Amino acid sequence: SGPGAEGGSEGTQGGSTDAASSGVPTAETGNPGTFVGLSFETLEAEGDWGMITDARFIPGTDELFVLEKSGRVGHLRLEGDRFVLLGSFELDGAYSVLDCGLISLALDPDFAANGFLYVGMCVSEQHSEIRRYTLEGSNYASAPATETLILAVGDPAAPKPWHNVGSIGFEPDGTMWALFGDKKVDANGQDATNPLSALVRLIPNREPGGEGYTVPQGNAFASEDEGHPLVYATGLRSPWKGIRDSAGRFWFGDVGANTMEEVNVITEVGQNFGWSQAEGRCALGCSELTDPLLQWPHAGVSTYAAEDPDVVPTNARVAYVALEVEPHGSDPYAGALDGHVLFGDYCQGWVRGAQLDGAGTLVADTHLGHLFVPSAWIRGRDGYIYAMTFGKCETPSIDEDDPPKSAFVRAVPVFE
């Protein structure tokens, strides 16, 4: 995983159930009309940002952290229509080549008390790590030296720095989850004895200076003879971006190899999403495999692309899952997006919202707007969705000494 497409053959389409969303009146807005989608307005941000890969608001505040692929962590505050830079620090050891570098960010559930930040990153062409850093107030200079190693994974046979650690996050009880790709080694897809090609769950060491993890209850394998103790679900190829929703389901975009991009939903422990036995919906020998919720092909003009008049003409395709929109006390979207999970194609630029009912059935799959190369999605205390862009679709064409610029944008509702 990582923000870039591998090049010429990665895809877009939709087998969609179209469901229009209607505006719902709120105390603040009255009846704004019918919600018809999102526009994205660019905001000012201090700090000269490029190749942003992830971001997180500090809960209950207007402050956030952003990651740059090359190794910088920024601390900013949202003030009206601009992001003010509070400080930053550089992390050592980020292997920033092609789709590698600093990739994913999570804040400890007790961040306000302990200042723990967790970063998913590449440390070489073959290996990725989840590391913890401690930020004490505004003492940015001291943060890099607080590094502790939580988890290291990799494959010495990895031929390129692709399909790495993806999104990381926390369950309410403090269990960490993380997405890992196959490191461009197809055989890892159906090998449950290592954490690659898997969603893993672990309890990170929270002792001061403490490294490593413990294994939580509820993972897929009772013994190491059956599979790696951290593995929860298998058969993932390149799950760059994913989320855990309010119902406890894990959603992830899986970037395809030859035929299909996928959005998958993990609903129970032990599910196998097919790679490298199947890509897209399985056609043969499928009894043990879980099909994607949504898929779109690489070739031609997909249904999804056809519904976006601003789609970027490119052969590259990169599926992502952005965030779940939960009910919010101050909701500029007037409830129209409640329960929707935003997803899209990073390279073509279309953004959509999907919704499942209580039984897990798809009840909405709706075009929402257009945003080219979004790499981080977060929701502010003000109820608005914010996104940061990476700057370019395909990483092989990037000059890391002159990186493409990132934009900070706000998702503004459009009512008619």
Side-chain angles (χ1 to χ4, degrees):
S1 61
E6 297 173 10
S9 66
E10 311 232 327
T12 283
Q13 148 31 77
S16 66
T17 303
D18 228 334
S21 298
S22 296
V24 178
T26 68
E28 291 84 2
T29 63
N31 188 348
T34 298
F35 174 80
V36 295
L38 299 172
S39 64
F40 294 92
E41 62 178 17
T42 301
L43 306 181
E44 179 187 351
E46 296 179 348
D48 189 26
W49 298 96
M51 300 194 299
I52 289 177
T53 54
D54 211 352
R56 290 289 183 272
F57 273 111
I58 301 173
T61 79
D62 296 317
E63 297 181 20
L64 68 154
F65 294 98
V66 300
L67 295 187
E68 279 186 324
K69 177 179 179 291
S70 57
R72 182 166 58 145
V73 181
H75 182 198
L76 300 95
R77 182 171 57 238
L78 175 63
E79 296 183 359
D81 291 339
R82 64 195 299 263
F83 289 90
V84 176
L85 180 62
L86 303 178
S88 65
F89 52 95
E90 295 277 345
L91 299 183
D92 296 329
Y95 179 79
S96 185
V97 176
L98 293 178
D99 291 0
C100 264
L102 296 190
I103 296 173
S104 48
L105 173 67
L107 303 184
D108 194 271
D110 296 322
F111 175 82
N114 59 31
F116 290 168
L117 300 92
Y118 300 83
V119 176
M121 62 189 291
C122 298
V123 295
S124 72
E125 183 168 294
Q126 289 81 25
H127 293 88
S128 297
E129 294 180 356
I130 297 175
R131 296 178 178 180
R132 189 190 75 211
Y133 296 88
T134 304
L135 180 62
E136 298 180 356
S138 59
N139 190 1
Y140 305 107
S142 68
T146 66
E147 172 192 311
T148 61
L149 176 62
I150 301 300
L151 175 64
V153 305
D155 189 327
K160 286 187 176 181
W162 283 339
H163 311 178
N164 310 296
V165 58
S167 295
I168 59 177
F170 282 94
E171 300 174 14
D173 66 358
T175 299
M176 173 180 277
W177 58 269
L179 294 163
F180 286 102
D182 67 1
K183 287 302 296 179
K184 196 60 176 173
V185 178
D186 290 358
N188 287 325
Q190 295 299 308
D191 180 3
T193 63
N194 67 55
L196 295 174
S197 285
L199 183 136
V200 304
R201 297 170 65 252
L202 60 147
I203 300 172
N205 188 331
R206 289 188 173 87
E207 294 298 320
E211 298 192 338
Y213 62 85
T214 56
V215 178
Q217 296 292 315
N219 285 342
F221 301 108
S223 72
E224 293 189 26
D225 294 334
E226 300 174 36
H228 195 282
L230 295 186
V231 169
Y232 186 83
T234 59
L236 287 59
R237 179 180 184 264
S238 183
W240 169 46
K241 287 289 180 183
I243 66 161
R244 182 183 185 273
D245 72 12
S246 55
R249 300 170 296 213
F250 298 97
W251 299 59
F252 63 94
D254 209 353
V255 181
N258 300 306
T259 58
M260 289 288 176
E261 300 295 297
E262 301 178 5
V263 169
N264 293 284
V265 182
I266 303 171
T267 57
E268 59 186 44
V269 65
Q271 286 176 293
N272 182 337
F273 289 87
W275 179 256
S276 56
Q277 182 178 330
E279 183 178 352
R281 296 188 182 106
C282 182
L284 185 65
C286 310
S287 61
E288 302 299 319
L289 305 183
T290 300
D291 279 339
L293 174 72
L294 300 163
Q295 64 179 32
W296 54 97
H298 299 174
V301 178
S302 70
T303 302
Y304 287 168
E307 292 183 16
D308 180 359
D310 300 313
V311 75
V312 176
T314 172
N315 290 327
R317 309 285 190 266
V318 175
Y320 69 85
V321 171
L323 50 71
E324 178 190 21
V325 184
E326 298 186 65
H328 194 282
S330 174
D331 184 7
Y333 312 106
L337 293 177
D338 286 359
H340 287 70
V341 171
L342 272 56
F343 73 98
D345 193 290
Y346 165 91
C347 285
Q348 288 209 319
W350 49 261
V351 180
R352 300 183 69 88
Q355 186 175 21
L356 303 180
D357 65 14
T361 302
L362 184 69
V363 294
D365 178 7
T366 309
H367 178 71
L368 296 176
H370 181 90
L371 183 61
F372 180 57
V373 295
S375 53
W377 294 82
I378 49 178
R379 197 171 190 190
R381 189 167 60 157
D382 58 6
Y384 278 101
I385 296 166
Y386 294 89
M388 292 86 202
T389 66
F390 185 76
K392 202 166 188 178
C393 165
E394 297 179 70
T395 54
S397 61
I398 286 176
D399 178 358
E400 297 249 349
D401 294 326
D402 185 21
K405 300 302 182 186
S406 293
F408 289 65
V409 302
R410 175 187 285 143
V412 178
V414 179
F415 294 99
E416 290 183 351

